[in-house]
Amino acid sequence: MTSYKDLGLVNSREIFAKAVKGGYAIPAFNFNNMEQMQAIIQACVETKSPVILQVSSGARKYANQTLLRYMAQGAVEYAKELGYNIPIVLHLDHGDSFELCKSCIEYGFSSVMIDGSHLPYDENVALTKKVVEYAHQYDVTVEGELGVLAGVEDDVKAESHTYTRPEEVEDFVKKTGVDSLAISIGTSHGAYKFKPGQKPEIRLDILHEIEKRIPGFPIVLHGSSSVPQDIVAEINHYGGALKDSIGIPEDQLREASKSAVCKINIDSDGRLAMTAAVRKVFIEKPEEFDPRKYLGPARDKLKELYKHKVVNVLGSDNKA
Ligand code: G3H
Ligand code: 13P
Ligand code: ZN
């Protein structure tokens, strides 16, 4: 058993409490390789922002559980070397079983999500409660989810949103003991969040209704990539084929960050940024075959994107 505390990581309790009070949100950036991790840490050290390093079950399989443990420890040391000891959380994204959450905790995660959002309400409560009881023994924080996002969540695909029902949140939080709650208010995973012609809008009215029921309780937004159109255009300019990809407008996320939304999940925008940079090198310098010559620019573009998110969207700069 590796305790996250020995790796220099923190759980999410204190940084969420500060974020809710301060009217900003902590970035939760997904990663599964070294360049992504470097970009996240460089961006958050330079902006002095707390950060959540987020790992999906697919990413854990891809990167390997043991390597991830050392990468997270490396991230803490790397941040110090870069000159600022920012709070770093290692978080399991969309945990789908008690066993996976338990295993992540044993491998040094400081926070886990148990996503029972596809289950009937009572089963979601029972599973989430079981994970909370286990995790809290080790001072690991737990995120639960109520409501279903449209789109693909790991292997589960929902055609349309099932918005979180504000009348359920108080009971869910009380019965499960979770530390934060992911809600469904119109965000969704991936790069195709709205259909062409649809107005890209999230339901801030539902968010405010939820906040009234559980004042000050940490709220999480998944599926919060904005799918920057300049990056999409760059990908397509360099031979890509992304059609009708639309994300969440950044001003709406900025608005949500000012409320009890204290964690915003961004993965797809990072994937797009890396892809654009790699494609550019492949087209402009077809003679290159040193991975550093395309992964380096990809890392730089990622870092630039993350700094923009921290400063202009989440408002978590200078909060470390
Ligand atoms: O919510 C999903 C995240 O974007 C992770 O995606 O399961 O492909 O790693 P993944
Ligand atoms: P995006 O696909 O919008 O980046 O969402 C990521 C996410 O919610 C990870 O859990
Ligand atoms: Zn998600």
Side-chain angles (χ1 to χ4, degrees):
M1 167 98 193
T2 301
S3 167
Y4 70 86
K5 293 179 183 174
D6 296 333
L7 306 182
L9 300 162
V10 298
N11 68 23
S12 65
R13 196 168 291 121
E14 199 179 315
I15 59 172
F16 280 179
K18 284 186 184 161
V20 171
K21 252 200 207 136
Y24 59 91
I26 314 282
F29 297 134
N30 290 68
F31 88 110
N32 49 59
N33 69 33
M34 184 187 74
E35 282 77 9
Q36 292 168 328
M37 188 271 267
Q38 289 173 318
I40 296 170
I41 298 301
Q42 289 170 7
C44 292
V45 165
E46 285 177 27
T47 55
K48 295 193 167 66
S49 169
V51 70
I52 297 169
L53 289 173
Q54 191 157 261
V55 179
S56 69
S57 59
R60 191 172 187 247
K61 276 190 211 118
Y62 177 83
N64 176 272
Q65 59 209 26
T66 305
L67 280 177
L68 280 171
R69 169 217 181 283
Y70 287 102
M71 282 175 85
Q73 187 172 21
V76 172
E77 297 307 319
Y78 183 47
K80 285 188 210 158
E81 194 179 304
L82 291 176
Y84 210 76
N85 191 10
I86 55 172
I88 301 175
V89 174
L90 180 64
H91 175 77
L92 168 66
D93 193 22
H94 295 285
D96 59 356
S97 68
F98 171 77
E99 290 71 26
L100 176 60
C101 293
K102 180 171 179 284
S103 174
C104 284
I105 292 167
E106 287 167 357
Y107 274 86
F109 280 61
S110 59
S111 174
V112 292
M113 174 188 194
I114 178 69
D115 182 356
S117 62
H118 301 281
L119 300 172
Y121 182 78
D122 289 339
E123 287 176 38
N124 187 1
V125 168
L127 177 61
T128 306
K129 186 170 188 282
K130 186 174 172 190
V131 171
V132 169
E133 280 170 1
Y134 181 80
H136 281 184
Q137 293 177 70
Y138 303 98
D139 204 18
V140 167
T141 39
V142 180
E143 175 184 325
E145 179 166 340
L146 261 185
V148 184
L149 273 66
V152 184
E153 272 187 20
D154 282 318
D155 297 332
V156 188
K157 189 173 185 322
E159 285 305 326
S160 57
H161 306 285
T162 305
Y163 295 123
T164 306
R165 291 156 52 94
E167 56 275 27
E168 283 180 352
V169 295
E170 199 182 345
D171 183 68
F172 186 82
V173 163
K174 212 185 275 170
K175 282 192 179 142
T176 59
V178 275
D179 302 283
S180 61
L181 182 68
I183 60 168
S184 170
I185 56 167
T187 63
S188 59
H189 294 105
Y192 304 93
K193 301 186 191 299
F194 299 95
K195 303 223 160 39
Q198 230 181 349
K199 197 170 172 206
E201 203 160 32
I202 54 172
R203 293 286 304 271
L204 292 172
D205 58 318
I206 301 180
L207 167 64
H208 295 142
E209 191 53 43
I210 290 169
E211 283 183 281
K212 266 192 230 155
R213 313 279 179 131
I214 43 173
F217 191 81
I219 303 290
V220 177
L221 286 189
H222 282 249
S224 296
S225 278
S226 296
V227 190
Q229 292 302 300
D230 56 329
I231 297 181
V232 171
E234 202 176 341
I235 290 175
N236 290 339
H237 176 73
Y238 290 109
L242 296 179
K243 211 174 155 274
D244 301 330
S245 33
I246 306 169
I248 311 293
E250 288 186 338
D251 58 330
Q252 292 181 34
L253 295 169
R254 182 73 207 98
E255 203 46 46
S257 306
K258 290 180 188 155
S259 69
V261 168
C262 64
K263 172 176 181 271
I264 291 195
N265 289 7
I266 298 171
D267 187 2
S268 298
D269 282 356
R271 296 178 181 196
L272 292 168
M274 282 194 100
T275 301
V278 170
R279 277 192 174 280
K280 186 170 191 285
V281 176
F282 282 175
I283 295 292
E284 288 183 346
K285 298 177 189 165
E287 72 284 3
E288 280 298 354
F289 63 95
D290 178 343
R292 290 170 297 187
K293 295 290 180 353
Y294 48 88
L295 293 179
R299 183 176 63 190
D300 292 345
K301 197 166 175 75
L302 254 188
K303 172 183 163 181
E304 183 197 334
L305 172 91
Y306 291 147
K307 284 177 82 167
H308 161 71
K309 297 286 179 188
V310 164
V311 174
N312 301 317
V313 185
L314 310 182
S316 61
D317 51 315
N318 295 310
K319 305 296 193 305

